[in-house]
C-alpha cells in the first residue's frame, strides 16, 4: 500500500514536475491529489491532450462515434471529460480514411474533450465467430462484405492513429477469462510481444498515449509475469485486461488487486469493462483509476434507471402513476424535470424516453465517481464505502461475500 | 371570464392572412403569428428530443400540439397529477392545443358510431363518448382543443349519405362538448375549436361550416384535407368556400397538411394554422429538408438572377433518382442522407442554417449515424428539419409583409420542379 502524500498545491506541482521527468515524451501527466490512508484508493488529475480528467473516472462508451442519442453538448454538460470509441466498429464504418479526413474522431463526432479507443481485438474475438489468432495478428471475416481481414498490432495502431484518440490501447491476445491451460500463457506472452510491436508502430507518441494491457487470465503467476514484463516498458499507462468476462468474482478481484500491487504508482490504471456501481467502488478501493462499461447506457435503452439502491425498471406498471423523479436526490436534467410516471408513459411512444434515462444513468455513474473522489480527498473514503453499501443493500447479509472480502483486504470492514 | 384569444389581421395578400393570434394561454400573455404552425409532439414530447435539445431551437412556436390519441391511455395518471399534461410532461412554458388524432398515424376506418369515436393507443383501441372525450380534456387541461369529430369521410368512396351523417354527428358532438365544457372547471379558460367536416362534397362542407360558425367556438379546425385525401384543386376550392363563410377574427387550423407547396396553397385559401408533423416524417425516412425559401431582399435584382436549384448547395438534387434506400414518400423538398453520396460530404446539412445539427455536424456524420442505426441521427435530423420548417413559415410571413408572396411561391415551388427537369 502506498503511503499517503500531502496534497497542498506546492507539493503537487513539484511532484508533477518530477513525473514529467519519468515519462517525458508521453502527452499525459498524472498528478496524485490524494491517497486513502486506509485502502489503495487514490484521487488523481490526469492531464490529457484535450482536457484534464479527474480520477477515479467512469468513461461512457460511444461505440460508433456517438453516445446513444445524447449530443456532445449534453455529455459536456454532464461534466464528462473522456469517453470511448470502438476501433473495430469505426474501422469498419465509416473507416479510418474518412475519419482522418474529418480531422480524426474528435472532428468527426465534434467532441472537444478526450477519447479513448480500444484496439479492436476484443470485439473481433467476441463479436465475430470466425476469428483466428496467429503470431501475425487476428484474422476474421468481415460481417459487412464477408472478406477475410487480418488485424495486426501495427494495423490496430494505424487505425487508432487515424482516429486520433488521446489514449490508444495495444492489440492484445484476448482469451476468455474462463479458459485455462497453455492457451492463457501463450496469450500472455504474445500480448507482451504485440505491445512492443504496437509501441514501435505508434506514429504520434507526442499526441497519442498507448496503454499496455495486462493479461494472464486468472493465473496469479502468469499475471505477475505479465506485469513484470510490461512494467519494464515505458508506456504512459496500464490497463488490466482479460477480466469481467464471466469469471467468478472471487477470482476477479484477486487479479485486480494483484495487478495494482505491481503497477507503478505514477501511472494511470484502467480496469477494462467494469461499470457496475459496486464493482466500481470496490475496484477504486483496490487502486484502479479508470473504468468503462456499456452497461449504464445499454440498460437505459431497456428502461432501467440506476439509483443508489439498485435500479428501477421504468417500463413496469408499478411506475405508471409514480410522480416522483427517478432519484429525488439526483440533479441530472431528467430528474429535475420528469417523473417516473411520465418516463413510463413516454416509453410507449418515443425514443426520447431512452435519451432521458441514458442521461440519468451517465449522470449517476459520473456523480458516483465524483463522490468517491471527494471522499478520498477528504480522507473519508472508508466511511463512504460503508454508506454506499448500506444504501445499495437492504441489510449487511445481502452484501456479496467477494466484495466484503475484497474491501477487507484493503482494511475496509463493511459488516 | 372566458379567455381573450383574438386574431388580429394586419393584411391579406393573395388570400393569405397575415396576423397575430393574441391573448393565448391561461394568462393571455402568449401570441402566435399566422400563417404559422403548432409544435408537433407525441405523448407531449417532440419526437427524439429532450428539453435540452428542443430548447436549442430558436423561435419555437408558442403553441404546442398534443393529441387525445397519444394521451388517452394516460388519463388516470393525468387526473392524479391534477395539473394537466403541461406539468405531467415537464413541458416548457407553452400554450397547448389538443387535437383528436395524430396526423402521422393512419386511423383504421369503421370504428365510428353515432355516439363514439375511437383512438388507438399503445394498448389498442380506446372508444370515446363525448363525456369520456371531455373527461380526458379536463385531465389534459389544454388552452385550446378540437371538439370531438367524425373525421372518417376523407376516403374517396365515401357516400353522400355517409358524409352527411359525419357532418351531423360532428355538430352533435360539438353541442355536447360545448355543454360539458361549460360545466368543467378545468377547462374554464380554454377555447374550443369547432371541426368542419364534409369530405369532398361542397354543400356538406358549407353546411358544416355555417352550422359550426353559429356556435360559440374560439376557432375552426378543417378536417379531412390531408394530403392523400383529394386532389389539390378540389381541396383549394373547398377550403376557399369554407373560409369565405368563416368569421375573419377567428383562427382556422388545417389538419393533415404539411408539405410546403400545399401549405402555401392552403394559406392562400385562407388557412392560418398548420401542424408540424411534416419535419418529423422527413426525419423518420432519414432525410433532411433543404429546399430554398429565401428570396432576394431586393425586388429589382430578383428578376434578373433566377438561380436554379442546382446552385443552392452546388450539387445535383438527390431526388432525381431515388436510391435503394429511398423512401417512396420522399418529397422534392428534402435530401436523402442515407445516400452514399453524403458519405464524405463534410458540409452542414444546409449552408447557413443555424440549427444545432448544422452548426455542429456534417452530412457525413449524419450519414454515418443513419447507416449504423444510431439514435442520434433522429435527434439531429429532427432539430434540423424542425428549424428548417419553422424558417419556412417565418419566410412566408415575411414575404407577405414585403409583398413578395409570388416570388416566395416561385422559389419554393421551383423545388417541386427539380424532379421534372432532371428526368
Ligand atoms: Zn437523474
Ligand atoms: Zn440545420
Amino acid at each position: 500500500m502506498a503511503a499517503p502524500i500531502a496534497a497542498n498545491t506546492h507539493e503537487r506541482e513539484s511532484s508533477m514536475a518530477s513525473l514529467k521527468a519519468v515519462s517525458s515524451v508521453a502527452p499525459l501527466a498524472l498528478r496524485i491529489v490524494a491517497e486513502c490512508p486506509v485502502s489503495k484508493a487514490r484521487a488523481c488529475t490526469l492531464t490529457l491532450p484535450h482536457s484534464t480528467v479527474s480520477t477515479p473516472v467512469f468513461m461512457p462508451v460511444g461505440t460508433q462515434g456517438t453516445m446513444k442519442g445524447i449530443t456532445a453538448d449534453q455529455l459536456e454538460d454532464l461534466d464528462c471529460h473522456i469517453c470511448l470509441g470502438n476501433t473495430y466498429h469505426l474501422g469498419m464504418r465509416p473507416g479510418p480514411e474518412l475519419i482522418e479526413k474529418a480531422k480524426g474522431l474528435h472532428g468527426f463526432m465534434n467532441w472537444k474533450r478526450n477519447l479513448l479507443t480500444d484496439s479492436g481485438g476484443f470485439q473481433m474475438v467476441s463479436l465475430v465467430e470466425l476469428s483466428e489468432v496467429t503470431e501475425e495478428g487476428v484474422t476474421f471475416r468481415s460481417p459487412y462484405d464477408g472478406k477475410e481481414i487480418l488485424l495486426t498490432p501495427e494495423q490496430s495502431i494505424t487505425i487508432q492513429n487515424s482516429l486520433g484518440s488521446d489514449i490508444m490501447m495495444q492489440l492484445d491476445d484476448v482469451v476468455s477469462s474462463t479458459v485455462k491451460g497453455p492457451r492463457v500463457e501463450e496469450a500472455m506472452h504474445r500480448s507482451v510481444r504485440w505491445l512492443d510491436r504496437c509501441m514501435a508502430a505508434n506514429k504520434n507518441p507526442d499526441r497519442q498515449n498507448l496503454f499496455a494491457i495486462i493479461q494472464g487470465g486468472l493465473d496469479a503467476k502468469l499475471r505477475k509475469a505479465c506485469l513484470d514484463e510490461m512494467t519494464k516498458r515505458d508506456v504512459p499507462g496500464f490497463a488490466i485486461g482479460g477480466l469481467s468476462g464471466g469469471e467468478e468474482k472471487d477470482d476477479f478481484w484477486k487479479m485486480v488487486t494483484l495487478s495494482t500491487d505491481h503497477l507503478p504508482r505514477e501511472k494511470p490504471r484502467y480496469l477494462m469493462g467494469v461499470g457496475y456501481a459496486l464493482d466500481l467502488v470496490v475496484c477504486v478501493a483496490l487502486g484502479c483509476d479508470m473504468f468503462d462499461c456499456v452497461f449504464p447506457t445499454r440498460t437505459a435503452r431497456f428502461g432501467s434507471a440506476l439509483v443508489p439502491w439498485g435500479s428501477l425498471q421504468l417500463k413496469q406498471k408499478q411506475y405508471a402513476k409514480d410522480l416522483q423523479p427517478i432519484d429525488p436526490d439526483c440533479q441530472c436534467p431528467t430528474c429535475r424535470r420528469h417523473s417516473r410516471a411520465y418516463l413510463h408513459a413516454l416509453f410507449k411512444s418515443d425514443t426520447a424516453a431512452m435519451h432521458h434515462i441514458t442521461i440519468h444513468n451517465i449522470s449517476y455513474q459520473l456523480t458516483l465517481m465524483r463522490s468517491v473522489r471527494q471522499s478520498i480527498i477528504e480522507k473519508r473514503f472508508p466511511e463512504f464505502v460503508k454508506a454506499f453499501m448500506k444504501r445499495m443493500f437492504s441489510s449487511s447479509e445481502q452484501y456479496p461475500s467477494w466484495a466484503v472480502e475484497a474491501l477487507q483486504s484493503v482494511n475496509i470492514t463493511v459488516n | 371570464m372566458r379567455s381573450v384569444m383574438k386574431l388580429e389581421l394586419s393584411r391579406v395578400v393573395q388570400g393569405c392572412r397575415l396576423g397575430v393570434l393574441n391573448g393565448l394561454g391561461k394568462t393571455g400573455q402568449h401570441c402566435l403569428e399566422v400563417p404559422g404552425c403548432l409544435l408537433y409532439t407525441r405523448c407531449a414530447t417532440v419526437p427524439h428530443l429532450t428539453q435540452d435539445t428542443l430548447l436549442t431551437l430558436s423561435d419555437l412556436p408558442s403553441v404546442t400540439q398534443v393529441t387525445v390519441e397519444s394521451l388517452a391511455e394516460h388519463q388516470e395518471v393525468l387526473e392524479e397529477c391534477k395539473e394537466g399534461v403541461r406539468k405531467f410532461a415537464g413541458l416548457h412554458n407553452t400554450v397547448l392545443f389538443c387535437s383528436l388524432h395524430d396526423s402521422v398515424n393512419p386511423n383504421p376506418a369503421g370504428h365510428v358510431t353515432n355516439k363514439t369515436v375511437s383512438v388507438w393507443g399503445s394498448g389498442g383501441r380506446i372508444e370515446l363518448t363525448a363525456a369520456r372525450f371531455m373527461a380526458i380534456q379536463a385531465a389534459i387541461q389544454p388552452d385550446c382543443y378540437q371538439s370531438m369529430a367524425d373525421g372518417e369521410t376523407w376516403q374517396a368512396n365515401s357516400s353522400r349519405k355517409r358524409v352527411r351523417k359525419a357532418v351531423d354527428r360532428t355538430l352533435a358532438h360539438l353541442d355536447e362538448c360545448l355543454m360539458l365544457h361549460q360545466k368543467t372547471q378545468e377547462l374554464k379558460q380554454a377555447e374550443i375549436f369547432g371541426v368542419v367536416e364534409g369530405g369532398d362534397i361542397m354543400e356538406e362542407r358549407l353546411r358544416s361550416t355555417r352550422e359550426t360558425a353559429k356556435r360559440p367556438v374560439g376557432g375552426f379546425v378543417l378536417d379531412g384535407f390531408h394530403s392523400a385525401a383529394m386532389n389539390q384543386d378540389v381541396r383549394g376550392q373547398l377550403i376557399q368556400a369554407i373560409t369565405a363563410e368563416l368569421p375573419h377574427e377567428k383562427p382556422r387550423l388545417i389538419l393533415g397538411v404539411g408539405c410546403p407547396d400545399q401549405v402555401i396553397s392552403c394559406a392562400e385559401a385562407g388557412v392560418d394554422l398548420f401542424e408540424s408533423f411534416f419535419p418529423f416524417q422527413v426525419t423518420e425516412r432519414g432525410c433532411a429538408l433543404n429546399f430554398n425559401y429565401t428570396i432576394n431582399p431586393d425586388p429589382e435584382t430578383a428578376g434578373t438572377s433566377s438561380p436554379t436549384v442546382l446552385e443552392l448547395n452546388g450539387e445535383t438534387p438527390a431526388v432525381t433518382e431515388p436510391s435503394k434506400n429511398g423512401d417512396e414518400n420522399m418529397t422534392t423538398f428534402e435530401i436523402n442522407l442515407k445516400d452514399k453520396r453524403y458519405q464524405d460530404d463534410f458540409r452542414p446539412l444546409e449552408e447557413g442554417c443555424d440549427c444545432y445539427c448544422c452548426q455542429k455536424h456534417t452530412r457525413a456524420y449524419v450519414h454515418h449515424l443513419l447507416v449504423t442505426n444510431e439514435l442520434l441521427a433522429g435527434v439531429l435530423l429532427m432539430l434540423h428539419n424542425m428549424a428548417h420548417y419553422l424558417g419556412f413559415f417565418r419566410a412566408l410571413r415575411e414575404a407577405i409583409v414585403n409583398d413578395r408572396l409570388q416570388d416566395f411561391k416561385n422559389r419554393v415551388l421551383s423545388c417541386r420542379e427539380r424532379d421534372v427537369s432532371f428526368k
Side-chain angles (χ1 to χ4, degrees):
Chain A
M1 195 179 67
I5 57 155
N8 73 53
T9 322
H10 185 75
E11 284 199 29
R12 262 187 258 154
E13 274 167 13
S14 61
S15 78
M16 191 151 124
S18 66
L19 267 186
K20 278 195 175 145
V22 173
S23 53
S24 53
V25 286
L28 170 153
L30 185 81
R31 193 182 82 201
I32 298 170
V33 175
E35 286 172 310
C36 173
V38 176
S39 69
K40 293 199 278 181
R42 54 201 218 150
C44 310
T45 52
L46 175 62
T47 305
L48 290 167
H50 284 82
S51 70
T52 295
V53 180
S54 296
T55 73
V57 65
F58 175 78
M59 306 179 285
V61 183
T63 299
Q64 322 220 54
T66 155
M67 191 56 67
K68 304 297 159 208
I70 306 306
T71 65
D73 279 16
Q74 286 177 302
L75 205 52
E76 265 191 48
D77 289 345
L78 294 173
D79 207 23
C80 173
H81 282 269
I82 181 166
C83 61
L84 258 75
N86 286 120
T87 296
Y88 169 78
H89 292 95
L90 292 162
M92 287 286 174
R93 293 185 303 188
E97 300 81 12
L98 189 96
I99 291 188
E100 202 167 338
K101 268 200 248 170
K103 301 190 179 73
L105 186 52
H106 288 90
F108 186 61
M109 64 187 286
N110 199 2
W111 170 247
K112 308 263 186 286
R113 296 178 177 176
N114 301 298
L115 287 167
L116 183 150
T117 47
D118 62 2
S119 67
F122 177 74
Q123 260 86 18
M124 246 162 260
V125 177
S126 58
L127 297 180
V128 185
E129 279 177 34
L130 293 164
S131 69
E132 187 200 355
V133 185
T134 62
E135 190 58 27
E136 188 56 16
V138 186
T139 308
F140 66 102
R141 205 175 284 283
S142 162
Y144 302 106
D145 58 13
K147 265 191 237 150
E148 272 217 340
I149 302 175
L150 171 71
L151 184 80
T152 64
E154 290 78 11
Q155 280 160 341
S156 169
I157 296 302
T158 302
I159 299 172
Q160 295 186 70
N161 279 155
S162 297
L163 299 179
S165 48
D166 301 272
I167 297 175
M168 305 186 289
M169 302 308 299
Q170 74 155 108
L171 185 69
D172 52 349
D173 184 359
V174 182
V175 278
S176 163
S177 51
T178 50
V179 169
K180 292 191 166 60
R183 176 71 185 97
V184 183
E185 181 162 10
E186 179 196 47
M188 184 276 282
H189 289 300
R190 183 172 286 146
S191 292
V192 175
R193 292 191 294 273
W194 283 4
L195 171 60
D196 291 332
R197 286 169 60 187
C198 286
M199 289 174 73
N202 184 5
K203 287 195 295 276
N204 307 321
D206 57 324
R207 283 184 280 132
Q208 294 186 268
N209 296 288
L210 173 65
F211 276 29
I213 304 177
I214 306 296
Q215 288 291 353
L218 303 176
D219 184 324
K221 267 211 299 279
L222 290 179
R223 282 257 160 202
K224 178 67 174 56
C226 191
L227 281 156
D228 288 343
E229 269 311 307
M230 285 187 171
T231 52
K232 283 180 198 161
R233 276 98 178 143
D234 184 22
V235 288
F238 293 92
I240 302 166
L243 298 175
S244 96
E247 71 279 357
E248 291 296 323
K249 285 285 189 185
D250 286 318
D251 297 324
F252 160 79
W253 77 262
K254 282 171 189 150
M255 290 301 112
V256 173
T257 203
L258 170 77
S259 304
T260 54
D261 277 343
H262 294 93
L263 286 171
R265 175 174 172 268
E266 71 282 2
K267 290 186 180 178
R269 300 123 172 217
Y270 161 31
L271 180 55
M272 301 175 83
V274 167
Y276 295 118
L278 175 63
D279 299 9
L280 292 173
V281 170
V282 170
C283 293
V284 166
L286 299 179
C288 299
D289 306 311
M290 304 163 71
F291 306 87
D292 81 285
C293 189
V294 293
F295 163 72
T297 44
R298 178 174 291 164
T299 202
R301 298 201 294 288
F302 297 101
S304 176
L306 305 175
V307 287
W309 58 95
S311 62
L312 309 179
Q313 307 311 312
L314 289 170
K315 285 159 103 172
Q316 285 174 3
K317 217 173 161 34
Q318 68 183 105
Y319 299 109
K321 292 185 187 174
D322 188 339
L323 293 168
Q324 301 174 81
I326 294 170
D327 174 2
D329 296 325
C330 178
Q331 294 301 311
C332 85
T334 303
C335 291
R336 272 183 285 152
R337 189 168 278 273
H338 297 298
S339 65
R340 298 171 185 176
Y342 181 62
L343 297 171
H344 173 89
L346 190 59
F347 241 102
K348 298 178 181 194
S349 51
D350 194 68
T351 60
M354 297 181 200
H355 306 339
H356 287 303
I357 301 175
T358 302
I359 286 172
H360 167 82
N361 283 359
I362 294 175
S363 174
Y364 170 77
Q365 299 283 109
L366 299 184
T367 306
L368 173 65
M369 297 311 260
R370 274 194 291 272
S371 314
V372 164
R373 176 182 161 86
Q374 200 55 34
S375 77
I376 298 169
I377 292 172
E378 291 169 7
K379 304 273 182 269
R380 51 176 180 80
F381 177 68
E383 290 69 38
F384 176 91
V385 175
K386 285 172 210 169
F388 168 85
M389 296 294 286
K390 243 184 149 156
R391 189 88 206 273
M392 184 61 82
F393 300 97
S394 47
S395 73
S396 58
E397 285 90 68
Q398 311 275 324
Y399 293 179
S401 60
W402 73 269
V404 173
E405 277 172 48
L407 290 166
Q408 190 63 62
S409 79
V410 286
N411 314 310
I412 298 175
T413 309
V414 287
N415 59 357
Chain B
M1 203 190 86
R2 291 279 309 218
S3 85
V4 288
M5 183 179 86
K6 189 165 192 296
L7 179 62
E8 282 167 31
L9 293 177
S10 50
R11 65 194 309 186
V12 180
V13 177
Q14 286 176 232
C16 275
R17 305 183 346 141
L18 182 78
V20 183
L21 191 54
N22 283 313
L24 290 168
K26 297 269 182 285
T27 54
Q29 84 279 30
H30 292 275
C31 61
L32 180 65
E33 289 181 282
V34 305
C37 67
L38 315 180
L39 185 65
Y40 174 77
T41 68
R42 318 187 100 185
C43 197
T45 280
V46 178
H48 303 294
L49 303 186
T50 59
Q51 197 69 201
D52 296 334
T53 45
L54 175 68
L55 295 183
T56 64
L57 287 169
S58 49
D59 298 328
L60 281 179
S62 59
V63 182
T64 301
Q65 180 188 24
V66 295
T67 60
V68 170
E69 178 175 312
S70 71
L71 295 172
E73 65 189 287
H74 309 302
Q75 182 183 353
E76 280 183 41
V77 65
L78 279 164
E79 280 165 355
E80 284 182 27
C81 176
K82 289 195 174 64
E83 288 168 86
V85 75
R86 200 173 357 234
K87 177 78 194 309
F88 177 62
L91 278 164
H92 55 291
N93 181 20
T94 178
V95 180
L96 285 180
F97 182 94
C98 183
S99 49
L100 181 60
H101 292 293
D102 184 333
S103 289
V104 169
N105 301 341
N107 288 291
H111 294 280
V112 180
T113 69
N114 277 336
K115 291 284 174 199
T116 68
V117 297
S118 288
V119 291
W120 277 259
S122 66
R125 185 163 74 99
I126 301 170
E127 192 168 32
L128 306 172
T129 58
R132 173 93 193 268
F133 175 87
M134 289 302 285
I136 291 172
Q137 295 296 349
I140 294 173
Q141 298 184 24
D143 300 293
C144 314
Y145 64 99
Q146 163 196 350
S147 164
M148 197 166 100
D150 172 4
E152 210 176 81
T153 51
W154 51 269
Q155 287 141 315
N157 56 359
S158 297
S159 67
R160 185 168 287 261
K161 194 175 151 208
R162 177 67 185 88
V163 172
R164 193 177 309 135
K165 204 174 188 180
V167 171
D168 289 338
R169 280 170 173 172
T170 301
L171 288 167
H173 293 329
L174 176 58
D175 288 333
E176 198 171 353
C177 288
L178 281 166
M179 190 263 291
L180 292 166
H181 183 96
Q182 297 302 322
K183 297 181 185 166
T184 310
Q185 187 62 28
E186 291 89 341
L187 298 170
K188 223 174 164 193
Q189 284 161 310
E191 292 278 1
I192 192 162
F193 276 47
V195 185
V196 175
E197 297 288 355
D200 56 2
I201 299 170
M202 182 63 89
E203 35 189 297
E204 287 304 321
R205 282 283 176 187
L206 289 175
R207 185 167 73 91
S208 182
T209 306
R210 288 171 187 148
E211 285 301 319
T212 308
K214 284 181 195 163
R215 272 99 170 150
V217 294
F220 301 90
V221 167
L222 277 52
D223 194 21
F225 286 111
H226 47 271
S227 305
M230 60 186 74
N231 84 39
Q232 288 223 39
D233 293 339
V234 174
R235 178 168 55 201
Q237 287 160 15
L238 289 169
I239 294 173
Q240 245 161 9
I242 291 166
T243 56
E245 297 286 327
L246 291 175
H248 289 286
E249 73 285 1
K250 290 183 180 177
R252 303 105 182 232
L253 164 70
I254 194 162
L255 297 178
V257 174
C259 207
D261 54 341
Q262 295 168 19
V263 166
I264 296 173
S265 57
C266 288
E268 285 180 319
V271 173
D272 303 313
L273 293 170
F274 299 82
E275 302 176 281
S276 60
F277 60 85
F278 181 66
F280 170 64
Q281 289 178 317
V282 173
T283 298
E284 292 310 281
R285 50 185 176 248
C287 294
L289 290 174
N290 83 329
F291 65 98
N292 194 349
Y293 50 70
T294 24
I295 41 173
N296 194 316
D298 180 4
E300 292 296 302
T301 56
T304 55
S305 70
S306 50
T308 64
V309 180
L310 276 181
E311 286 169 26
L312 298 182
N313 284 315
E315 67 186 298
T316 29
V319 290
T320 52
E321 282 172 66
S323 64
K324 305 190 279 290
N325 298 325
D327 186 297
E328 54 182 40
N329 296 317
M330 196 178 150
T331 67
T332 56
F333 299 97
E334 58 205 273
I335 57 173
N336 180 4
L337 283 165
K338 285 185 201 151
D339 195 296
K340 232 180 144 115
R341 80 179 72 191
Y342 300 113
Q343 189 176 248
D344 56 355
D345 188 339
F346 295 114
R347 292 175 297 172
L349 266 47
E350 189 196 358
E351 300 287 352
C353 177
D354 68 357
C355 84
Y356 179 86
C357 177
C358 292
Q359 291 297 307
K360 296 267 180 177
H361 296 294
T362 61
R363 295 175 180 190
Y365 184 60
V366 177
H367 170 85
H368 166 73
L369 296 175
L370 285 166
V371 299
T372 53
N373 284 317
E374 282 285 347
L375 290 165
L376 191 60
V379 176
L380 296 179
L381 282 174
M382 193 68 216
L383 286 173
H384 168 76
N385 288 331
M386 189 57 85
H388 191 94
Y389 201 61
L390 298 177
F392 158 72
F393 275 98
R394 206 159 41 236
L396 168 61
R397 291 190 297 269
E398 277 166 21
I400 302 171
V401 171
N402 298 322
D403 277 322
R404 302 288 306 281
L405 187 58
Q406 195 54 48
D407 293 333
F408 175 80
K409 216 174 132 179
N410 292 345
R411 171 48 54 91
V412 172
L413 296 190
S414 68
C415 305
R416 213 175 45 173
E417 277 129 35
R418 277 193 214 180
D419 57 339
V420 181
S421 52
F422 283 92
K423 254 168 196 163

